[in-house]
């Protein structure tokens, strides 16, 4: 049992210097260093970039802003959400510079909360972060499976009859294959992952430039005017216009929801207190630019929106590129780099989810934590935690057999849980007058209050928003089951707290004075 004394003041730790002192900081925070610190600032920024995999994340969810408000929703929704997420990242970065551990937001929530509430607050935050990590990884691999089906279907035999029928079992088998590949690469290629991430960045920008140049140069059906691209609003969701626009923000919310997942890598970085916050902000800048470079050309050559909304797989991008390029082979050539990027994104998410599961189990908050906390010495990865995370994803993937809107539920729950978990430490930090971050290594100064308030407001909006169906009226197969999955996860965590947690869970170790 750890002794719980007063928390040490934020300023007492120096988390700079070489690997040794980062490990000392970790020991001061109460943990034994077990993972190798093999990543530099840029490598962390690159991994963070790969977790978001912007062109791919925006491509698989383009359906939402198309139905929500068309061009205005696609372009300005992305700009608005990127600005909001910069506030979330800055707020998290400031707190991370005081508490750099792989427990991320959940450890920070414990440290910032008043002693009376800290156990339950960190428990709730930790479960939200865990469920968010696992469901967002599931959404990435599932979205890739749907995207692969739509990409192969550009080679249609006749209009509307694809090569792959996209039966539920076909989609599920593709998803299963992708999940196994991502876990194998993440487990056996851990030391190569930083290099894979660097390759992915170059690959991303090459893919975006290729799509941008080809689509604008060929534009078989002509180009829209600038006024259309930046000013045309057309809602098809059946919701009132303003709310319809908000529901369309799911695309941007999904693509940026991975922002704080990078905190799980804090123990594999040389100087986490300054590197991780910088990496998060650098990533958001890169993401915003890559996103605009991908979205603007796509909107310039947008075919008739109602036609795109009838596509069975719910993946409009392959059809948009095919209409712009005019040939199936050319369209597939542009889609192929996005599929590779999607797999890299899946590997990144799998890695982060396994670290998150391991870090939470380390403090005894998941059943079977003794088995889950073992780090495989040969591979230097928490293999058991990775296997558990994979099994949960595969079981949840079966939901698709009952609901065609399953992807909507997975992406929705992932975004809701991650957004809520990021809000926990930020809200507590704000409520306690931001005392704990005084004198930290990544100070926001006067902007601190503004960033914190924006971050919390976004979380309050996102939670009900992403439980909404993307259009009304709703049928049984198009209901957004996000709220159901969310409630099920909350119940599981509450039951485990009641059965075991409230007697045994002490939260993460703190330094006894």
């Amino acid at each position: 049992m750890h002794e719980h004394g007063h928390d040490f003041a934020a300023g007492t730790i120096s988390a700079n210097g070489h690997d040794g002192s980062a490990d000392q900081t970790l020991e001061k925070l109460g943990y034994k260093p077990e993972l190798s610190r093999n990543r530099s600032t840029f490598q962390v920024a690159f991994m963070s970039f790969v977790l978001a995999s912007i062109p791919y994340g925006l491509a698989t969810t383009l359906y939402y802003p198309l139905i929500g408000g068309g061009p205005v929703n696609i372009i300005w929704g992305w700009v608005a959400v990127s600005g909001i997420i910069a506030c979330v990242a800055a707020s998290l970065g400031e707190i991370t510079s005081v508490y750099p551990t792989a427990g991320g937001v959940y450890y920070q929530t414990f440290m910032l909360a008043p002693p009376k509430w800290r156990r339950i607050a960190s428990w709730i935050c930790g479960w939200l972060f865990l469920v968010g990590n696992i469901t967002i990884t599931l959404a990435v691999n599932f979205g890739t499976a749907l995207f692969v089906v739509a990409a192969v279907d550009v080679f249609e035999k006749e209009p509307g009859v694809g090569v792959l029928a996209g039966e539920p079992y076909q989609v599920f088998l593709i998803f299963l294959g992708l999940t196994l590949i991502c876990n194998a690469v993440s487990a056996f290629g851990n030391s190569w992952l930083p290099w894979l991430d660097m390759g992915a960045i170059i690959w991303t920008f090459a893919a975006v430039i290729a799509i941008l140049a080809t689509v604008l140069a060929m534009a078989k059906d002509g180009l829209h005017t600038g006024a259309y691209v930046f000013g045309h609003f057309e809602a098809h969701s059946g919701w009132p216009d303003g709310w319809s626009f908000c529901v369309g923000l799911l695309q941007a919310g999904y693509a940026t929801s991975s922002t704080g997942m990078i905190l799980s890598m804090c123990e594999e970085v040389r100087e986490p207190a300054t590197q991780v916050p910088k990496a998060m902000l650098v990533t958001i800048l890169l993401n915003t630019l890559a996103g605009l470079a991908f979205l603007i050309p796509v909107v310039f050559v947008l075919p008739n929106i109602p036609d795109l909304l009838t596509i069975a797989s719910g993946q409009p991008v392959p059809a948009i590129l095919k209409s712009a390029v005019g040939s199936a082979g050319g369209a597939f050539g542009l889609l192929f780099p996005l599929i590779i990027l999607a797999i890299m994104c899946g590997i990144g998410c799998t890695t982060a989810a396994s670290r998150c599961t391991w870090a939470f189990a380390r403090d005894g908050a998941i059943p079977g934590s003794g088995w889950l906390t073992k780090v495989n010495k040969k591979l230097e990865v928490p293999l058991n935690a990775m296997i558990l995370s994979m099994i949960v994803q595969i079981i949840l993937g079966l939901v698709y057999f009952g609901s065609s809107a399953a992807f909507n539920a997975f992406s929705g729950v992932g975004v809701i849980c991650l957004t809520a978990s990021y809000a926990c430490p930020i809200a507590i930090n704000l409520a306690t007058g931001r005392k704990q971050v005084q004198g930290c290594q990544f100070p926001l100064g006067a902007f601190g209050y503004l960033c914190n308030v924006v971050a919390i407001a976004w979380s309050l909006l996102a939670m009900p928003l992403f439980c909404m169906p993307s259009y009304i009226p709703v049928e049984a197969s198009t209901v957004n089951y996000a709220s159901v999955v969310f409630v099920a996860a909350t119940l599981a965590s509450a039951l485990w707290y009641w059965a075991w947690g409230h007697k045994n869970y002490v939260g993460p170790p703190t330094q006894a004075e």
Side-chain angles (χ1 to χ4, degrees):
M1 196 60 89
H2 306 293
E3 284 183 64
H4 283 257
H6 301 288
D7 294 336
F8 41 89
T12 56
I13 324 168
S14 154
N16 272 337
H18 56 85
D19 309 7
S21 72
D23 281 346
Q24 279 163 10
T25 303
L26 189 62
E27 281 170 3
K28 277 188 189 161
L29 295 174
Y31 292 115
K32 180 170 127 250
E34 294 185 79
L35 303 171
S36 64
R37 295 186 181 273
N38 61 349
R39 288 170 167 85
S40 67
T41 305
F42 277 110
Q43 286 172 330
V44 181
F46 292 167
M47 178 171 173
S48 184
F49 184 82
V50 171
L51 285 175
S53 284
I54 287 304
Y56 155 75
L58 293 175
T60 48
T61 48
L62 188 67
Y63 178 82
Y64 302 118
L66 275 178
I67 200 169
V72 165
N73 211 167
I74 296 173
I75 307 287
W76 298 114
W78 173 242
V79 172
V81 172
S82 294
I84 293 169
I85 293 294
C87 292
V88 175
S91 303
L92 283 177
E94 186 179 43
I95 300 171
T96 301
S97 71
V98 184
Y99 305 117
T101 76
V105 284
Y106 125 84
Y107 183 90
Q108 295 162 4
T109 299
F110 183 87
M111 287 308 209
L112 294 166
K116 198 165 109 195
W117 298 107
R118 55 173 35 160
R119 282 172 51 197
I120 187 79
S122 67
W123 179 278
I124 292 168
C125 180
W127 271 88
L128 285 170
F129 191 53
L130 176 70
V131 172
N133 266 276
I134 291 176
T135 48
I136 213 84
T137 308
L138 162 67
V140 165
N141 286 334
F142 211 88
T144 308
L146 292 168
F147 193 73
V148 166
V149 171
V152 172
D153 280 350
V154 294
F155 300 102
E156 49 193 7
K157 305 184 192 89
E158 53 192 81
V161 183
V163 181
L164 271 174
E167 299 287 333
Y169 79 91
Q170 291 174 325
V171 176
F172 184 77
L173 287 175
I174 296 172
F175 157 71
L176 193 62
L178 287 164
T179 304
L180 294 172
I181 290 168
C182 289
N183 279 278
V185 175
S186 179
F188 299 113
N190 185 47
S191 54
W192 295 96
L193 291 180
W195 298 104
L196 188 71
D197 294 338
M198 205 176 293
I201 279 243
I202 299 164
W203 185 265
T204 300
F205 278 97
V208 167
I209 291 164
I211 291 171
L212 192 151
T214 316
V215 165
L216 293 179
M218 296 183 73
K220 293 285 189 222
D221 299 336
L223 293 168
H224 291 293
T225 60
Y228 174 88
V229 173
F230 297 103
H232 180 71
F233 181 83
E234 127 182 30
H236 292 279
S237 63
W239 293 106
D241 283 356
W243 188 245
S244 182
F245 177 85
C246 290
V247 174
L249 295 177
L250 177 60
Q251 176 202 28
Y254 169 71
T256 53
S257 61
S258 63
T259 306
M261 283 170 72
I262 198 69
L263 299 182
S264 299
M265 303 305 289
C266 267
E267 293 175 30
E268 294 165 62
V269 178
R270 298 189 188 105
E271 296 168 21
T274 47
Q275 284 179 317
V276 173
K278 281 180 193 160
M280 286 189 342
L281 285 169
V282 168
T283 308
I284 287 166
L285 259 174
L286 283 174
N287 283 349
T288 308
L289 297 173
L292 287 173
F294 172 73
L295 293 172
I296 292 173
V298 166
V299 179
F300 263 111
V301 295
L302 208 58
N304 186 20
I305 295 178
D307 295 348
L308 292 174
L309 298 178
T310 58
I311 295 169
S313 63
Q315 294 294 341
V317 170
I320 296 171
L321 294 184
K322 187 178 176 183
S323 87
V325 181
S327 74
F332 190 78
L334 292 176
L335 291 165
F336 184 71
L338 289 177
I339 295 171
I340 298 295
L341 190 61
I343 295 169
M344 289 177 172
C345 177
I347 294 166
C349 289
T350 301
T351 306
S354 68
R355 301 302 190 271
C356 156
T357 309
W358 170 75
F360 200 38
R362 183 166 66 169
D363 296 326
I366 306 177
S369 57
W371 178 74
L372 288 173
T373 45
K374 291 198 175 75
V375 172
N376 184 310
K377 290 284 175 258
K378 199 166 154 201
L379 300 173
E380 288 197 329
V381 292
L383 194 63
N384 299 353
M386 193 179 281
I387 292 167
L388 174 76
S389 166
M390 178 178 84
I391 292 168
V392 171
Q393 287 165 43
I394 292 169
I395 293 169
L396 280 173
L398 295 168
V399 171
Y400 188 67
F401 288 103
S403 160
S404 61
F407 173 62
N408 197 340
F410 303 148
S411 54
V413 162
V415 175
I416 290 166
C417 288
L418 288 173
T419 308
S421 74
Y422 302 158
C424 291
I426 298 172
I428 294 171
N429 186 25
L430 189 63
T432 53
R434 297 174 42 81
K435 286 192 207 68
Q436 309 262 41
V437 293
Q438 299 304 321
C440 70
Q441 307 204 350
F442 186 79
L444 294 179
F447 285 109
Y449 285 100
L450 175 71
C451 290
N452 294 168
V453 170
V454 170
I456 294 162
W458 167 243
S459 311
L460 291 175
L461 173 70
M463 291 177 74
L465 195 59
F466 301 144
C467 288
M468 297 287 164
S470 44
Y471 57 93
I472 45 180
V474 177
E475 297 145 30
S477 66
T478 59
V479 168
N480 184 350
Y481 286 102
S483 50
V484 182
V485 181
F486 182 69
V487 168
T490 311
L491 278 175
S493 113
L495 282 170
W496 181 239
Y497 189 78
W498 175 74
W500 182 90
H502 75 105
K503 286 199 193 72
N504 304 309
Y505 173 71
V506 290
T510 51
Q511 195 64 1
E513 291 288 337

